[in-house]
């Protein structure tokens, strides 16, 4: 079955590789004509965590040619590119699956007319190296749920394999907000201090700042009752992805716009609405915006 993947970045290429491994036919929609041409010509190269490389042939087209042909479509662009996808509302019969960090895309999902919309959170680490290669840096899982409709099982069949597990969640909200807590605590700090996720645990000053960001985030999300459980989960995530450079750190290093607005920006907005002070989040937000502006 042909499955489209919009966005030929780290996650888009990773997902495309595993769709291919599962017997599906990914069609990667890229921003540039050049990337689509290279993918068609040379195939997609997957570098595993242990460094071994496999190349598979994939179809690829520039997003300008996207016409909703495939009934299943994974959206793997960053939050910062979401406004370029407004035209998806025309393709009413396509089942879309969104895989972004942060929560700014939720209002877009709500505005879409499709009956089947999936939402997922990615716990893998991956980086695109060159136009056609993805390096799988940390094996995790994708948690997946239905935002609307009930196609989550079908998505799992299309994507799941032993090195790419899909875990189905009955409710999307706790899944998305728990991931938001993790990203709001980890991403800005790793990007500002230029450290790996693991170093957040070994550097006592970084760990103490992460605790402050975490406390502010759970307060504005009204999740303080789960403080101990979520804090433990955060520490486990840092440990499991200890060698990862977070997606925000990678954006800062490559001079790309970060997703700070969709992560910490959303926490600050809610804090203002609820009159909860968020000084650490505000500092992290402004410092990352300063780097975004410079990039
Ligand atoms: N990488 C990781 O380890 C993790 C990523 N995530 C999340 O996954 C999401 C995707 O991240 P990631 O893959 O790392 O990001 P990347 O920047 O690597 O990939 C995004 C891709 O989308 C492409 N793109 C942007 N606009 C369009 C468009 N209009 N049409 C087609 N393609 C477009 C970009 O193209 P171009 O480069 O040419 O502009 C880029 O290749 C993010 O929300 C991120 O937070 C979550 C957990 C881990
Ligand atoms: C899970 C984590 C923190 C992995 O680095 C991530 O989501 C990211 O880098 O954006």
């Amino acid at each position: 079955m042909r499955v489209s993947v919009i966005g030929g970045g780290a996650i888009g290429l990773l997902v495309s590789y595993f769709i291919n491994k599962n017997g599906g036919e990914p069609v990667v929609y890229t921003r540039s004509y050049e990337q689509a041409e290279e993918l068609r010509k040379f195939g997609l190269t997957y570098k595993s965590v242990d460094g071994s490389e496999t190349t598979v042939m994939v179809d690829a087209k520039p997003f300008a040619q996207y016409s909703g042909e495939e009934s299943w479509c994974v959206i793997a662009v960053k939050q910062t590119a979401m406004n370029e996808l407004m035209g998806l509302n025309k393709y009413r019969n396509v089942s879309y699956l969104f895989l972004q960090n942060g929560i700014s895309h939720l209002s877009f999902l709500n505005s879409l007319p499709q009956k089947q919309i999936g939402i997922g959170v990615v716990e893998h680490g991956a980086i695109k190296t060159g136009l056609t290669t993805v390096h799988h840096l940390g094996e995790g899982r994708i948690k997946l749920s239905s935002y609307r409709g009930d196609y989550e099982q079908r998505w799992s069949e299309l994507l799941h394999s032993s090195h790419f597990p899909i875990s189905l969640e009955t409710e999307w909200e706790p899944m998305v907000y728990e991931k938001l807590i993790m990203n709001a605590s980890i991403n800005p700090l790793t990007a500002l201090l230029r450290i790996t996720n693991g170093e957040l645990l070994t550097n006592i000053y970084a760990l103490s700042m992460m605790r402050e960001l975490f406390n502010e985030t759970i307060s504005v999300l009204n999740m303080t009752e789960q403080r101990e459980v979520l804090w433990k989960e955060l520490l486990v995530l840092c440990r499991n992805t200890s060698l990862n450079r977070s997606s925000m750190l990678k954006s800062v290093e490559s001079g790309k716009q970060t997703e700070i607005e969709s992560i910490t920006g959303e926490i600050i907005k809610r804090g203002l609405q609820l009159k909860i002070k968020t000084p650490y989040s505000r500092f992290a937000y402004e410092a990352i915006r300063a780097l975004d502006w410079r990039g």
Side-chain angles (χ1 to χ4, degrees):
M1 181 187 309
R2 280 167 76 80
V3 179
S4 45
V5 177
I6 299 181
I11 299 303
L13 294 183
L14 190 71
V15 166
S16 299
Y17 172 77
F18 283 101
I19 290 173
N20 174 286
K21 289 304 280 178
N22 268 5
E25 296 171 54
V27 186
V28 189
Y29 286 88
T30 61
R31 195 205 286 275
S32 73
Y33 281 74
E34 188 198 357
Q35 191 188 8
E37 203 176 299
E38 297 250 320
L39 280 166
R40 277 199 312 273
K41 216 162 150 187
F42 303 114
L44 185 172
T45 300
Y46 167 82
K47 195 170 168 190
S48 68
V49 176
D50 64 21
S52 57
E53 290 189 10
T54 316
T55 299
V56 296
M57 294 320 287
V58 293
D59 196 359
K61 300 178 187 181
F63 179 62
Q65 290 172 11
Y66 180 75
S67 62
E69 237 173 276
E70 298 81 22
S71 344
W72 300 85
C73 177
V74 178
I75 307 294
V77 303
K78 283 194 164 152
Q79 294 278 4
T80 46
M82 204 53 77
N83 58 352
E84 296 171 43
L85 305 187
M86 295 302 165
L88 297 187
N89 59 5
K90 290 200 288 278
Y91 310 113
R92 287 175 172 261
N93 295 324
V94 177
S95 171
Y96 289 102
L97 170 63
F98 288 80
L99 292 181
Q100 284 63 39
N101 273 343
I103 56 166
S104 303
H105 59 323
L106 296 179
S107 54
F108 175 50
L109 265 65
N110 200 33
S111 73
L112 285 172
Q114 283 80 6
K115 290 200 181 73
Q116 302 289 345
I117 299 177
I119 187 162
V121 298
V122 177
E123 294 179 355
H124 292 270
I127 187 163
K128 185 179 84 173
T129 54
L131 292 181
T132 61
T133 303
V134 60
H135 189 178
H136 203 172
L137 296 171
E139 280 187 21
R141 61 183 168 168
I142 293 185
K143 286 188 181 170
L144 198 153
S145 185
S146 279
Y147 176 82
R148 198 180 286 154
D150 54 7
Y151 277 11
E152 70 276 8
Q153 186 60 44
R154 190 71 192 99
W155 273 115
S156 174
E157 285 158 20
L158 287 169
L159 300 174
H160 180 87
S161 66
S162 57
H163 290 285
F164 201 67
I166 302 295
S167 132
L168 294 181
E169 304 292 315
T170 43
E171 288 178 64
W172 67 265
E173 281 190 280
M175 169 186 91
V176 167
Y177 286 104
E178 280 171 26
K179 184 71 192 308
L180 178 65
I181 294 170
M182 307 295 147
N183 288 127
S185 309
I186 296 175
N187 291 27
L189 272 185
T190 52
L192 288 173
L193 302 172
R194 314 275 167 132
I195 57 176
T196 59
N197 296 354
E199 287 174 271
L200 287 170
L201 303 177
T202 51
N203 181 318
I204 52 164
Y205 297 101
L207 183 64
S208 146
M209 284 191 279
M210 180 163 82
R211 181 99 209 188
E212 299 290 351
L213 287 173
F214 168 82
N215 282 336
E216 288 180 9
T217 305
I218 59 168
S219 297
V220 303
L221 295 178
N222 196 15
M223 289 168 84
T224 47
E225 277 176 18
Q226 296 169 60
R227 187 187 304 272
E228 290 320 312
V229 176
L230 291 170
W231 177 247
K232 272 194 197 131
E233 276 180 30
L234 177 59
L235 299 183
V236 169
L237 182 61
C238 289
R239 205 167 304 128
N240 288 348
T241 60
S242 62
L243 297 179
N244 268 27
R245 303 176 83 72
S246 76
S247 54
M248 197 168 285
L249 172 55
K250 282 181 259 175
S251 295
V252 165
E253 285 176 330
S254 56
K256 288 192 175 166
Q257 191 83 15
T258 68
E259 294 180 300
I260 193 77
E261 200 64 64
S262 316
I263 299 172
T264 313
E266 296 285 348
I267 300 302
I268 294 170
K269 259 193 242 162
R270 283 180 192 227
L272 284 171
Q273 280 160 8
L274 298 168
K275 297 195 171 34
I276 296 175
K277 288 205 166 71
T278 56
Y280 279 84
S281 304
R282 290 186 78 93
F283 177 80
Y285 172 84
E286 289 186 14
I288 295 287
R289 285 312 300 250
L291 292 172
D292 272 352
W293 177 79
R294 200 191 51 177

